[in-house]
Amino acid sequence: MESRTQWTCLVDTQGQVSEWEDKTGKHYLSAFPQVIGYAQALLYSKRDALTFYYHKADENLWFQIALQRHQQEFTVIRAKQVELPFGLSKRELDILILISSGLSNTEIAAQLYISERTVAKHIEHIFGKTNIDNRTLLAVFAITENLCCLPLPGNLTRSMLTAYEIETIAKNRQALANKPFFSTKRESSRPIIIGVPYVEQGIGQIDTQELLNGTVLAVETINRQGGINGRELRIERAGFCVEDKKSILRAYQQLFDKEVDAISTSYACYSAETHELVASEGIPYLHLATHSSSNKLAQNLSPEKIDNIFQVCASDVNYSQGIIRFLQEYQYHYPHLVKKKHIVVITVKWQWIDIGIDCLIHTLRAQNWKVDVLELEQSASPFLYAMGQIHNLSPSLIVVASYFTEDIINFYTEFSKQPSNAIIYSIYAPSALLPHQQMCEGVLWATTTGLSANHVGQCFHQHYQRFFGHQPSYSQASVAYDQVQILANTWRHTVSPRNFKEVLSGIRSLAYHGVNGTYYFGADSQIGLTYPDDTMDLSISQPHLIFQIQHGKSKVIAPSLFAESAFRLPPWFKLK
């Protein structure tokens, strides 16, 4: 008995304990009446699982408790004797829980009957132990790492934590006999189907594989955990060609004919006709088509007509803000390289995007900068033509406004033949370039939804690497993963995935803390927010990340909160 550290048992709706793996597990865990109560309470909630830490005070032992709903009327308890992670003390864990519940230092002090100064000191220790120095990120980290214990500290009257919901139910165990429990349906039934339109041929194929990989990883992860209330998730794909707009419509119609339960896709699929078609179907639709023209409110369409369309990250016009911030830093640190305050923005007619060009021109003109826009026609060598114009203009910064990885590769190839002392600043496109490819060295690029090197990002990186045998790209795989998880989290708490009205309401009310940041669709536009452009609140936004490719690897250089490296002059610069 002394050498054993793990035990399991089953608990039913009446709180009766039975064997799961062996008699010892049942016997040992029967001595944990509070944990039994939480397992029973889970069955009367709409939750499928809960993981938390539990302190057995009489033996001064800590356990990690994992509760998992099983079949219709049981919870499996898995208990493992552990030490608290990250070297946290019980008091530090209590404070971390209260931070995750949204309490201020003053409120935490009142809950724990200690001074605010003591609270601040404990938080300082937590920052050091977790290597996190931001309160909002700390709260997100605590939730994703299941850093919670039961019973909860203090006397909370509100909390967003699942543990709070379960504890509240458990405190009223006597009333559970007459309360209906929420059963999970494990019988054979139709899978829940996610439709994925993807680029099957032509430009955009480089990035689309990451869309598919991220979606597959999310679906596999969810199915291994029991699916959605016992129902399997399945992917239905439909291919198209970006240059053939009719093929895009056919792909969507194919998915509608298959009666998919939602559609999750990227940016390459956009056309006004496509979104009109999706709006008419009423099906939940999560996409990355952040072109400003895809903002339905800008097209004077009512919120009711677009209530099924969710743009998971901020619109393209935000990119101008990142460019302006970078230029201010660049001019401050390298004034001798900015003798000619001139920018060239390259746009492409095969997928035009507005990076906030009006704002960019207006703001920079006030700072004595000149901005030229070079729009490229589809031709045999559009970037060869672009380089001829660039050598005539000699700008200090070149912005390549195209999402397609193929475009930045082709531009960089032409630029490398006769480079100048100009920074190349790309919009999203290099996100699909991996270190082993050693491409576009020195290029800067920005995204309003990206994979940072924080703890959550690193965990996803490892998860993806184990599954596919190579690292993920820096945006598409992780955002595709998050899109599926947003749908899954909503479906778990709805009567049926086919009850679109309830599903859409659930997505709008959700603030989902994903790999790339927090997704929030509470505004009428149903467009994700970005930090620091739309809001300074990271609990409802994703960071607007600026990367630089250094030794083949994309590294975040801004915002400073997420930076893993500093800007370096590109290797093509020739300094006197």
Side-chain angles (χ1 to χ4, degrees), residues 36 93 400 444 446-447 482 511 572:
I36 303 301
L93 182 59
V400 183
L444 274 70
T447 181
D482 284 345
W572 61 79

Side-chain angles (χ1 to χ4, degrees), residues 317-471:
V317 293
N318 292 77
Y319 283 117
S320 63
Q321 299 300 316
I323 295 169
I324 292 166
R325 285 193 295 272
F326 170 75
L327 275 178
Q328 289 171 343
E329 289 291 316
Y330 182 56
Q331 188 173 357
Y332 176 80
H333 291 287
Y334 298 94
H336 57 292
L337 296 178
V338 193
K339 296 176 181 178
K340 190 173 183 180
K341 300 174 75 173
H342 191 182
I343 296 176
V344 170
V345 179
I346 298 175
T347 64
V348 296
K349 275 197 171 181
W350 45 97
Q351 192 180 62
W352 185 85
I353 60 176
D354 180 7
I355 61 171
I357 196 68
D358 290 340
C359 172
L360 187 68
I361 292 172
H362 176 78
T363 303
L364 293 182
R365 276 182 179 170
Q367 300 173 19
N368 299 315
W369 282 82
K370 181 182 179 183
V371 180
D372 280 321
V373 179
L374 180 60
E375 187 174 43
L376 301 183
E377 301 279 352
Q378 201 155 14
S379 64
S381 304
F383 295 109
L384 179 61
Y385 166 78
M387 283 309 304
Q389 299 300 308
I390 285 169
H391 286 305
N392 290 334
L393 297 170
S394 299
S396 296
L397 182 78
I398 304 165
V399 178
V400 183
S402 169
Y403 288 150
F404 292 119
T405 307
E406 293 89 339
D407 285 341
I408 187 59
I409 292 173
N410 291 335
F411 173 78
Y412 187 82
T413 299
E414 293 297 335
F415 180 86
S416 299
K417 294 175 183 176
Q418 195 177 352
S420 63
N421 281 8
I423 302 294
I424 300 176
Y425 191 109
S426 182
I427 304 300
Y428 177 82
S431 68
L433 300 178
L434 300 180
H436 72 274
Q437 295 171 300
Q438 292 293 306
M439 301 179 75
C440 297
E441 181 68 24
V443 168
L444 274 70
W445 64 275
T447 181
T448 54
T449 181
L451 180 62
S452 69
N454 63 15
H455 180 78
V456 177
Q458 290 176 11
C459 288
F460 174 80
H461 187 288
Q462 295 165 6
H463 187 28
Y464 183 102
Q465 180 105 27
R466 286 194 299 269
F467 195 87
F468 292 106
H470 61 85
Q471 76 167 69

